[in-house]
């Protein structure tokens, strides 16, 4: 029997994060409202510490370390945002950290992770098994491995973003959340079901990597090869055991978006809202745009998951 986190765990995480995580702004856009005929509320986690929501779950998990774990250190594997969250959280808490990152991770994310004090070890995401490498390192060096999504403390920490959103907006009719391994979506679902039980919850993943959608509809976790997509924060190969159970219990549907739709979203955020948003952070908006008829007249929340993208790459996306 899995020990699934609850909304009480989200509340406890919020207390630990107070004074450390930013309470990110909830922004609105008259342009989006007019285009889609609905009232949109964007929770801007691209303005969170380290530039992504991942700081929340990372800090909550590390804050619960005992003295021995703090002394030996933390280990994480991540394409970038969880890496930065762990590295900064560890530095704030005085814990050494080792981060396993793919060799093709955005240079800005690798540089930031090192800048926060993390020791970076590179691997090939298409040929290496990062979980096997991570578990071996943890065993050899006595490190505590903090997964990027399938860990109750991480899930509870991620749920604080949606908690803040609902506290500011009140009940919403729909909530769109990007989906990789499911930490943000499952945490958001815990908050939504407690604070806005009638809200429809939609996870959104890349069209080329719809393992979550397949899992949701088949009732069992589906594994895929690493998807080819510009949404590097959502290149997970499968949902976690904890995240899957929460998602299939609490989420209404899993949707997808193409890379082209994500680029359109990046252009919208940059030109209309003056926000730098990475491709993964545009998944929610992309799916909402595809549901214009269903959302007409509704109050809609979108969690903008992060803004960590190389500037040259960002410029190329907008110019393409």
């Amino acid at each position: 029997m899995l020990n699934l986190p609850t909304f009480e765990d989200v509340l406890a995480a919020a207390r630990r994060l107070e004074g450390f995580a930013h309470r990110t702004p909830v922004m609105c856009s008259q342009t989006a409202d007019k285009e889609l005929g609905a009232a949109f509320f964007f929770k801007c986690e691209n303005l969170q510490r380290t530039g992504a929501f991942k700081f929340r779950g990372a800090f909550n998990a590390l804050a619960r370390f005992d003295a021995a774990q703090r002394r030996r250190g933390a280990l994480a594997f991540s394409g970038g945002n969880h890496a930065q969250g762990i590295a900064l959280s560890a530095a704030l808490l005085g814990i050494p950290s080792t981060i396993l990152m793919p060799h093709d991770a955005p240079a800005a994310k690798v540089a930031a992770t090192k800048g926060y004090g993390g020791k970076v070890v590179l691997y090939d995401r298409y040929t290496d098994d990062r979980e096997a490498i991570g578990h071996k390192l943890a065993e050899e060096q006595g490190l505590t491995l903090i997964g990027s999504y399938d860990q109750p403390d991480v899930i509870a920490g991620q749920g604080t973003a949606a908690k803040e959103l609902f506290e500011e907006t009140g009940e919403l009719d729909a909530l769109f959340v990007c989906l990789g391994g499911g930490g943000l979506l499952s945490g958001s679902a815990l908050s939504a079901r407690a604070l806005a039980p009638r809200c429809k919850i939609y996870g959104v993943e890349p069209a080329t990597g719809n393992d979550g959608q397949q899992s949701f509809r088949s009732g069992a976790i589906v594994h895929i090869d690493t998807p080819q997509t510009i949404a590097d924060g959502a290149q997970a190969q499968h949902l976690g055991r904890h995240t899957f159970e929460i998602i299939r219990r609490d989420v209404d549907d899993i949707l997808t978006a193409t890379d082209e739709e994500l680029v359109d979203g990046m252009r919208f955020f940059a030109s209309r809202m003056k926000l730098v948003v990475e491709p993964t952070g545009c998944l929610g908006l992309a799916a909402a745009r595809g549901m214009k008829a269903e959302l007409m007249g509704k109050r809609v929340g979108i969690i903008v998951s992060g803004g960590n993208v190389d500037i040259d790459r960002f410029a190329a996306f907008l110019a393409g």
Side-chain angles (χ1 to χ4, degrees):
M1 178 71 71
L2 289 177
N3 183 23
L4 297 178
T6 67
F7 183 61
E8 291 302 316
D9 296 310
V10 176
L11 294 177
R15 291 191 290 271
R16 294 186 194 98
L17 286 163
E18 190 170 354
F20 292 97
H22 296 324
R23 190 178 180 96
T24 53
V26 176
M27 298 180 66
C28 298
S29 167
Q30 291 184 347
T31 302
D33 293 355
K34 184 177 180 180
E35 174 190 335
L36 298 172
F40 279 82
F41 302 90
F42 298 92
K43 178 63 169 170
C44 296
E45 285 296 287
N46 57 311
L47 302 178
Q48 183 55 262
R49 294 186 79 160
T50 73
F53 75 94
K54 291 282 192 177
F55 176 78
R56 296 175 181 270
F59 188 91
N60 186 53
L62 266 61
R64 301 201 68 195
F65 273 21
D66 61 28
Q69 289 175 307
R70 287 173 180 256
R71 185 172 59 255
R72 290 192 296 264
L75 171 70
F77 42 78
S78 164
N81 287 337
H82 181 60
Q84 294 173 75
I86 289 288
L88 177 58
S89 297
L92 291 170
L93 294 166
I95 300 171
S97 64
T98 300
I99 316 295
L100 189 61
M101 301 185 73
H103 70 87
D104 60 347
K109 294 184 178 182
V110 176
T113 301
K114 292 179 178 179
Y116 291 133
K119 176 186 175 183
V120 173
V121 177
L122 299 177
Y123 74 97
D124 188 323
R125 76 164 89 224
Y126 298 104
T127 61
D128 295 332
D129 183 339
R130 69 176 188 177
E131 295 187 22
I133 297 171
H135 286 292
K136 182 179 179 182
L137 277 173
E139 183 177 349
E140 291 176 348
Q141 301 179 24
L143 307 175
T144 299
L145 176 61
I146 301 298
S148 58
Y149 55 88
D150 197 34
Q151 208 263 10
D153 289 333
V154 169
I155 293 169
Q158 315 307 28
T160 61
K163 170 184 171 291
E164 293 174 5
L165 173 63
F166 286 112
E167 287 173 345
E168 186 160 337
T169 64
E171 288 216 21
L172 297 171
D173 297 301
L175 177 67
F176 290 82
V177 185
C178 68
L179 173 60
L184 181 61
L185 178 58
S186 56
S188 298
L190 294 177
S191 292
R193 287 295 167 247
L195 300 175
R198 292 186 296 274
C199 180
K200 297 286 188 181
I201 307 170
Y202 299 100
V204 190
E205 59 190 348
T208 56
N210 71 330
D211 62 289
Q213 186 181 66
Q214 293 181 57
S215 301
F216 184 78
R217 294 179 182 175
S218 69
I221 296 176
V222 172
H223 292 244
I224 63 171
D225 293 332
T226 300
Q228 296 282 353
T229 174
I230 63 172
D232 62 280
Q235 286 184 299
Q237 296 173 304
H238 57 86
L239 298 177
R241 294 171 62 217
H242 297 82
T243 60
F244 174 65
E245 291 300 330
I246 296 171
I247 287 169
R248 72 172 181 171
R249 181 191 71 193
D250 292 339
V251 171
D252 290 281
D253 202 1
I254 306 296
L255 312 172
T256 64
T258 65
D259 281 0
E260 292 75 17
E261 290 170 330
L262 299 184
V263 171
D264 286 343
M266 294 174 73
R267 290 198 186 101
F268 170 81
F269 282 121
S271 63
R272 308 305 303 190
M273 298 182 70
K274 315 309 173 191
L275 293 173
V276 174
V277 179
E278 63 185 276
T280 306
C282 298
L283 283 164
L285 174 61
R289 280 176 152 172
M291 291 181 61
K292 180 176 180 178
E294 295 95 325
L295 298 177
M296 191 74 67
K298 304 291 188 181
R299 288 164 48 84
V300 181
I302 294 179
I303 297 186
V304 181
S305 61
N308 292 319
V309 56
D310 290 335
I311 293 302
D312 290 344
R313 194 166 182 242
F314 182 73
F317 282 140
L318 298 190

Coordinates of all heavy atoms in Angstrom, one line a residue, residues 177-225:
V177 N -2.4 22.2 -15.9 CA -1.1 22.0 -15.3 C -0.2 21.1 -16.2 O -0.7 20.1 -16.7 CB -1.2 21.3 -13.9 CG1 0.2 21.2 -13.2 CG2 -2.2 22.0 -13.0
C178 N 1.0 21.6 -16.4 CA 1.9 20.8 -17.3 C 2.2 19.4 -16.6 O 2.2 19.3 -15.4 CB 3.2 21.5 -17.6 SG 4.3 21.8 -16.2
L179 N 2.6 18.4 -17.4 CA 2.8 17.1 -16.9 C 4.0 16.5 -17.5 O 4.2 16.4 -18.8 CB 1.6 16.2 -17.3 CG 1.7 14.7 -17.0 CD1 1.9 14.4 -15.5 CD2 0.4 14.0 -17.5
G180 N 5.0 16.1 -16.6 CA 6.1 15.3 -17.0 C 6.0 14.0 -16.3 O 5.4 13.1 -16.7
G181 N 6.6 14.0 -15.1 CA 6.5 12.8 -14.2 C 5.3 12.9 -13.3 O 4.9 11.9 -12.7
G182 N 4.7 14.1 -13.2 CA 3.4 14.2 -12.5 C 3.5 14.8 -11.1 O 2.4 14.9 -10.4
G183 N 4.7 15.3 -10.6 CA 4.7 15.9 -9.3 C 3.9 17.1 -9.2 O 3.1 17.3 -8.2
L184 N 4.0 18.0 -10.1 CA 3.2 19.3 -10.1 C 1.7 19.0 -10.2 O 0.9 19.6 -9.5 CB 3.7 20.2 -11.2 CG 3.0 21.6 -11.2 CD1 3.2 22.4 -9.9 CD2 3.5 22.4 -12.4
L185 N 1.4 18.1 -11.2 CA 0.0 17.8 -11.4 C -0.7 17.1 -10.2 O -1.8 17.5 -9.8 CB -0.2 17.0 -12.7 CG -1.6 16.5 -13.0 CD1 -2.5 17.7 -13.2 CD2 -1.6 15.7 -14.3
S186 N 0.0 16.1 -9.6 CA -0.6 15.4 -8.5 C -0.7 16.4 -7.3 O -1.7 16.4 -6.6 CB 0.2 14.2 -8.2 OG 1.6 14.4 -8.0
G187 N 0.4 17.2 -7.0 CA 0.3 18.1 -5.9 C -0.8 19.1 -6.1 O -1.5 19.5 -5.2
S188 N -0.9 19.6 -7.4 CA -2.0 20.6 -7.7 C -3.3 20.0 -7.4 O -4.3 20.7 -7.0 CB -1.8 21.1 -9.1 OG -0.6 21.8 -9.3
A189 N -3.5 18.7 -7.8 CA -4.8 18.0 -7.6 C -5.1 17.9 -6.1 O -6.3 18.1 -5.8 CB -4.7 16.6 -8.2
L190 N -4.2 17.7 -5.3 CA -4.4 17.7 -3.8 C -5.0 19.0 -3.4 O -6.0 19.0 -2.6 CB -3.2 17.3 -3.1 CG -2.5 16.0 -3.3 CD1 -1.2 15.9 -2.5 CD2 -3.5 14.9 -2.9
S191 N -4.4 20.1 -3.8 CA -4.9 21.4 -3.4 C -6.3 21.7 -4.0 O -7.1 22.3 -3.4 CB -3.9 22.5 -3.8 OG -2.7 22.4 -3.0
A192 N -6.4 21.4 -5.3 CA -7.7 21.7 -6.0 C -8.8 20.9 -5.4 O -9.9 21.5 -5.2 CB -7.5 21.3 -7.5
R193 N -8.7 19.7 -5.1 CA -9.8 18.9 -4.5 C -10.2 19.4 -3.1 O -11.3 19.3 -2.7 CB -9.4 17.4 -4.5 CG -9.4 16.8 -5.8 CD -10.8 16.7 -6.5 NE -10.8 16.4 -7.9 CZ -11.1 17.2 -8.9 NH1 -11.5 18.5 -8.6 NH2 -11.1 16.9 -10.1
A194 N -9.2 20.0 -2.4 CA -9.5 20.5 -1.1 C -10.1 21.9 -1.1 O -11.0 22.2 -0.3 CB -8.2 20.5 -0.2
L195 N -9.6 22.7 -2.0 CA -10.0 24.1 -2.0 C -11.0 24.5 -3.1 O -11.7 25.5 -3.0 CB -8.8 25.0 -2.2 CG -7.7 24.9 -1.2 CD1 -6.4 25.7 -1.5 CD2 -8.2 25.3 0.2
A196 N -11.2 23.7 -4.1 CA -12.1 24.0 -5.2 C -12.6 22.7 -5.8 O -12.2 22.3 -6.9 CB -11.4 24.8 -6.3
P197 N -13.4 21.9 -5.0 CA -13.7 20.5 -5.4 C -14.5 20.4 -6.7 O -14.5 19.3 -7.3 CB -14.6 20.1 -4.2 CG -15.0 21.3 -3.5 CD -13.9 22.3 -3.7
R198 N -15.1 21.5 -7.2 CA -15.8 21.4 -8.5 C -14.9 21.7 -9.7 O -15.4 21.6 -10.8 CB -17.0 22.3 -8.5 CG -18.1 21.9 -7.5 CD -19.4 22.7 -7.6 NE -19.1 24.1 -7.2 CZ -19.2 24.6 -6.0 NH1 -19.5 23.7 -5.0 NH2 -18.9 25.8 -5.7
C199 N -13.7 22.1 -9.4 CA -12.8 22.5 -10.5 C -12.4 21.3 -11.3 O -12.0 20.3 -10.8 CB -11.6 23.2 -9.9 SG -10.3 23.7 -11.1
K200 N -12.4 21.5 -12.7 CA -11.9 20.5 -13.6 C -10.4 20.6 -13.6 O -9.9 21.7 -13.8 CB -12.5 20.6 -15.0 CG -14.0 20.4 -15.0 CD -14.4 19.0 -14.9 CE -15.9 18.7 -15.2 NZ -16.3 17.3 -15.0
I201 N -9.7 19.5 -13.5 CA -8.2 19.5 -13.5 C -7.7 18.8 -14.7 O -8.1 17.6 -15.0 CB -7.7 18.8 -12.2 CG1 -8.3 19.4 -11.0 CG2 -6.1 18.9 -12.2 CD1 -8.0 18.6 -9.7
Y202 N -6.9 19.5 -15.5 CA -6.3 18.9 -16.7 C -4.8 18.9 -16.7 O -4.2 19.9 -16.4 CB -6.8 19.7 -18.0 CG -8.3 19.8 -18.2 CD1 -9.0 20.9 -17.7 CD2 -8.9 18.7 -18.8 CE1 -10.4 21.0 -17.9 CE2 -10.3 18.8 -18.9 CZ -11.0 19.9 -18.5 OH -12.4 19.9 -18.7
G203 N -4.2 17.7 -16.9 CA -2.8 17.7 -17.1 C -2.5 17.8 -18.6 O -3.3 17.4 -19.4
V204 N -1.3 18.4 -18.9 CA -1.0 18.6 -20.3 C 0.5 18.2 -20.5 O 1.4 18.7 -19.8 CB -1.1 20.1 -20.7 CG1 -1.0 20.2 -22.2 CG2 -2.5 20.7 -20.2
E205 N 0.7 17.3 -21.5 CA 2.0 16.9 -21.8 C 2.3 17.0 -23.3 O 1.4 17.3 -24.1 CB 2.2 15.4 -21.4 CG 1.3 14.5 -22.0 CD 1.3 13.1 -21.3 OE1 2.3 12.8 -20.5 OE2 0.4 12.3 -21.6
P206 N 3.6 16.9 -23.7 CA 3.9 17.0 -25.1 C 3.2 15.9 -26.0 O 3.1 14.8 -25.5 CB 5.5 16.9 -25.2 CG 5.9 17.2 -23.8 CD 4.8 16.7 -22.9
A207 N 2.8 16.3 -27.2 CA 2.1 15.3 -28.0 C 3.0 14.1 -28.4 O 2.5 13.0 -28.5 CB 1.7 16.0 -29.3
T208 N 4.3 14.3 -28.4 CA 5.3 13.2 -28.8 C 5.6 12.4 -27.5 O 6.3 11.4 -27.7 CB 6.6 13.8 -29.4 OG1 7.1 14.7 -28.4 CG2 6.3 14.5 -30.7
G209 N 5.1 12.8 -26.4 CA 5.4 12.0 -25.1 C 4.2 11.9 -24.3 O 4.2 12.4 -23.1
N210 N 3.2 11.3 -24.8 CA 1.9 11.2 -24.1 C 1.7 10.0 -23.2 O 0.7 9.3 -23.2 CB 0.7 11.3 -25.1 CG 0.6 10.0 -25.9 OD1 1.6 9.4 -26.2 ND2 -0.6 9.8 -26.4
D211 N 2.8 9.6 -22.6 CA 2.7 8.4 -21.7 C 1.7 8.6 -20.6 O 1.0 7.7 -20.2 CB 4.1 8.1 -21.1 CG 4.6 9.2 -20.2 OD1 5.0 10.3 -20.8 OD2 4.6 9.1 -19.0
G212 N 1.6 9.8 -20.1 CA 0.6 10.1 -19.0 C -0.8 9.9 -19.5 O -1.7 9.4 -18.8
Q213 N -1.1 10.4 -20.7 CA -2.4 10.2 -21.3 C -2.7 8.8 -21.5 O -3.8 8.3 -21.2 CB -2.5 11.0 -22.6 CG -3.8 11.0 -23.3 CD -3.8 11.8 -24.6 OE1 -3.2 11.3 -25.6 NE2 -4.4 12.9 -24.7
Q214 N -1.7 8.0 -22.0 CA -2.0 6.6 -22.2 C -2.2 5.9 -20.9 O -3.1 5.0 -20.8 CB -0.7 6.0 -22.9 CG -0.5 6.4 -24.4 CD 0.7 5.8 -25.0 OE1 0.8 4.5 -25.0 NE2 1.7 6.5 -25.4
S215 N -1.4 6.3 -19.9 CA -1.6 5.6 -18.6 C -2.9 6.0 -18.0 O -3.6 5.1 -17.4 CB -0.5 6.2 -17.6 OG 0.8 5.9 -18.1
F216 N -3.3 7.2 -18.1 CA -4.6 7.7 -17.5 C -5.8 6.9 -18.1 O -6.7 6.5 -17.4 CB -4.7 9.2 -17.7 CG -6.0 9.8 -17.1 CD1 -6.0 10.1 -15.8 CD2 -7.1 10.1 -17.9 CE1 -7.1 10.6 -15.2 CE2 -8.2 10.7 -17.3 CZ -8.2 11.0 -16.0
R217 N -5.7 6.7 -19.4 CA -6.8 6.1 -20.1 C -6.8 4.5 -20.1 O -7.9 3.9 -20.2 CB -6.9 6.6 -21.5 CG -7.2 8.1 -21.5 CD -7.2 8.7 -22.9 NE -7.5 10.2 -22.7 CZ -7.5 11.1 -23.7 NH1 -7.3 10.7 -24.9 NH2 -7.8 12.3 -23.4
S218 N -5.6 4.0 -19.8 CA -5.5 2.5 -19.8 C -5.6 2.0 -18.3 O -5.9 0.8 -18.1 CB -4.2 2.0 -20.4 OG -3.1 2.4 -19.5
G219 N -5.4 2.9 -17.3 CA -5.4 2.4 -15.9 C -4.2 1.8 -15.4 O -4.2 1.2 -14.4
A220 N -3.1 1.9 -16.2 CA -1.8 1.3 -15.8 C -0.7 2.2 -16.3 O -0.8 2.8 -17.4 CB -1.6 -0.1 -16.3
I221 N 0.4 2.2 -15.6 CA 1.5 3.1 -16.0 C 2.2 2.6 -17.3 O 2.6 1.4 -17.4 CB 2.6 3.2 -14.9 CG1 2.0 3.8 -13.6 CG2 3.8 4.0 -15.3 CD1 2.9 3.8 -12.4
V222 N 2.3 3.5 -18.2 CA 2.8 3.2 -19.5 C 4.2 3.8 -19.6 O 4.4 4.9 -19.3 CB 2.0 3.7 -20.7 CG1 2.7 3.6 -22.0 CG2 0.6 3.0 -20.7
H223 N 5.2 3.0 -20.1 CA 6.6 3.5 -20.2 C 6.9 3.7 -21.7 O 6.4 2.9 -22.6 CB 7.6 2.4 -19.7 CG 7.5 2.2 -18.2 ND1 8.6 2.5 -17.4 CD2 6.6 1.8 -17.4 CE1 8.3 2.3 -16.2 NE2 7.0 1.8 -16.1
I224 N 7.6 4.8 -22.0 CA 7.9 5.2 -23.4 C 9.4 5.5 -23.5 O 10.0 5.7 -22.4 CB 7.1 6.4 -23.9 CG1 7.4 7.6 -23.1 CG2 5.6 6.0 -23.9 CD1 6.8 8.9 -23.7
D225 N 9.9 5.6 -24.7 CA 11.3 6.1 -24.9 C 11.3 7.6 -24.6 O 10.2 8.3 -24.7 CB 11.8 5.9 -26.3 CG 11.9 4.4 -26.6 OD1 12.2 3.6 -25.6 OD2 11.8 4.0 -27.7

